[in-house]
Amino acid sequence: MKFWKGAEMVLIAVGANLPLGGQEALTTCHKVVETLRALPGLHVIGVSRWYESAPVPPSGQPPYINGVIRATTTLAPDALLAALQQVELDFGRERSVRNAARTLDLDIIAFDALCQNLPHLTLPHPRAHERAFVLLPLRDVMPDWVHPATGQSLEAMLAQVAGQEIRQIQE
């Protein structure tokens, strides 16, 4: 496993809309948080509230459960991506077509202020600023976040996605 120069702040989006082994997507999201807490090189600092959102783009799929984890990591971005993809596989993720329904989706939204555009990993996430299901839970764990590439505040980005269908889950 490749380690990074020091502990960096990382924001990870968690989403699911298919049951796994008879458990609801929300249960899967709770279990993946515990799995990530045990991941070597990752220290979970905060977990957002959970939200239910319509699929983007609209597709007739079941609604998604979404949240964001704030953590620090000593893993390099590529090593973190590989670890998250392994967790997805462990939770039954099957990659078929883009935007397909899934048992688990983990995305690196931001890796400190790193900006990169590689074929396998673009940071910050290239569509995070367009999605209320990322921005609302992100506000729960890091309300002062500023998009490192555009300089936009979280509140400004939230204003641009105000019409998207999303609701906080009351647990």
Side-chain angles (χ1 to χ4, degrees):
M1 195 169 285
K2 192 171 159 191
F3 289 91
W4 196 241
K5 58 187 175 246
E8 300 289 339
M9 185 280 305
V10 65
L11 297 167
I12 302 168
V14 178
N17 75 332
L18 290 179
L20 175 63
Q23 70 186 14
E24 295 181 359
L26 180 59
T27 302
T28 298
C29 291
H30 284 296
K31 287 183 177 181
V32 80
V33 169
E34 294 314 308
T35 299
L36 293 178
R37 286 186 192 281
L39 189 69
L42 188 73
H43 175 73
V44 174
I45 296 170
V47 179
S48 72
R49 292 174 281 195
W50 297 102
Y51 295 81
E52 182 180 87
S53 64
V56 176
S59 61
Q61 296 176 18
Y64 275 86
I65 305 301
N66 299 102
V68 169
I69 294 170
R70 180 179 178 181
T72 58
T73 187
T74 54
L75 299 173
D78 289 345
L80 178 61
L81 177 63
L84 295 178
Q85 289 177 338
Q86 184 58 55
V87 171
E88 288 178 333
L89 288 173
D90 294 347
F91 276 78
R93 170 78 185 260
E94 294 179 14
R95 294 186 185 276
S96 55
V97 296
R98 187 178 173 132
N99 297 318
R102 57 201 73 155
T103 56
L104 180 62
D105 186 29
L106 297 173
D107 288 323
I108 303 172
I109 300 304
F111 192 98
D112 201 47
L114 181 63
C115 293
Q116 71 177 32
N117 189 2
L118 302 175
H120 65 286
L121 180 59
T122 299
L123 294 170
H125 189 283
R127 292 171 300 284
H129 64 285
E130 301 170 349
R131 297 176 169 169
F133 66 80
V134 170
L135 298 175
L136 278 171
L138 196 157
R139 182 172 63 185
D140 291 343
V141 295
M142 197 166 182
D144 57 345
W145 187 69
V146 173
H147 194 288
T150 67
Q152 271 194 306
S153 71
L154 186 53
E155 291 305 316
M157 290 180 279
L158 278 165
Q160 295 170 5
V161 299
Q164 292 181 12
E165 187 179 333
I166 185 168
R167 70 173 185 85
Q168 183 184 332
I169 295 173
Q170 301 300 321
E171 294 188 78

